[in-house]
Amino acid sequence: MTAKTLFTRIIDGEIPGQFVHQDEHCIAIRDINPAAPVHVLVIPRKPVPSLAELTAEDHALAGHLLLTVARIARQEGLENGYRVVINTGEEGGQTVPHLHLHILGGRALSGHGTA
Ligand code: 5GP
């Protein structure tokens, strides 16, 4: 059995997290090191390592994650806009090998990065 990812440990309550959403398929927590006034991570319960490992079997999950992002953005009052980032793999800057979508907002963002 492979080791649990950091995010699975948060999902399982072994490490604390500030939850803003939970459902059958995913959770959302505030990032521990926020790059913007609102910085939320939307994380599938299924420990898919990255976007690159999503398969056709995950079709519904992928749609659910995006719809959840939009729902949380509304919940967080980001009606003026926000950014969604999925760092993927080593050169993509991914540090936690469990798929997650960053929602960044609450200030004007420029360029293409997470900040
Ligand atoms: P990545 O760099 O993989 O795209 O994003 C990982 C994110 O997870 C980073 O923004 C980092 O601040 C956040 N993070 C790392 N450890 C923890 C933690 O223990 N709790 C929370 N809430 N966020 C974390």
Side-chain angles (χ1 to χ4, degrees):
M1 180 130 168
T2 49
K4 282 186 183 181
T5 70
L6 169 67
F7 291 151
T8 294
R9 296 188 67 198
I10 292 175
I11 289 167
D12 290 350
E14 295 170 13
I15 295 174
Q18 205 180 339
F19 286 73
V20 298
H21 174 85
Q22 294 194 59
D23 66 39
E24 191 187 340
H25 302 293
C26 69
I27 64 141
I29 55 172
R30 298 203 188 279
D31 197 290
I32 204 166
N33 184 22
V38 174
H39 189 168
V40 171
L41 304 172
V42 178
I43 306 166
R45 292 184 184 277
K46 180 178 176 182
V48 180
S50 85
L51 185 64
E53 278 85 18
L54 269 184
T55 68
E57 179 186 302
D58 302 310
H59 183 264
L61 176 62
H64 179 75
L65 292 170
L66 277 184
L67 290 171
T68 302
V69 163
R71 177 176 161 177
I72 292 169
R74 281 193 295 275
Q75 182 180 304
E76 293 288 321
L78 300 178
E79 58 279 338
N80 291 330
Y82 53 93
R83 177 172 293 163
V84 182
V85 173
I86 308 176
N87 294 326
T88 304
E90 197 180 331
E91 291 195 3
Q94 183 178 2
T95 59
V96 179
H98 184 150
L99 175 63
H100 51 285
L101 293 76
H102 296 254
I103 305 173
L104 294 144
R107 68 171 169 82
L109 300 160
S110 59
H112 302 97
T114 51

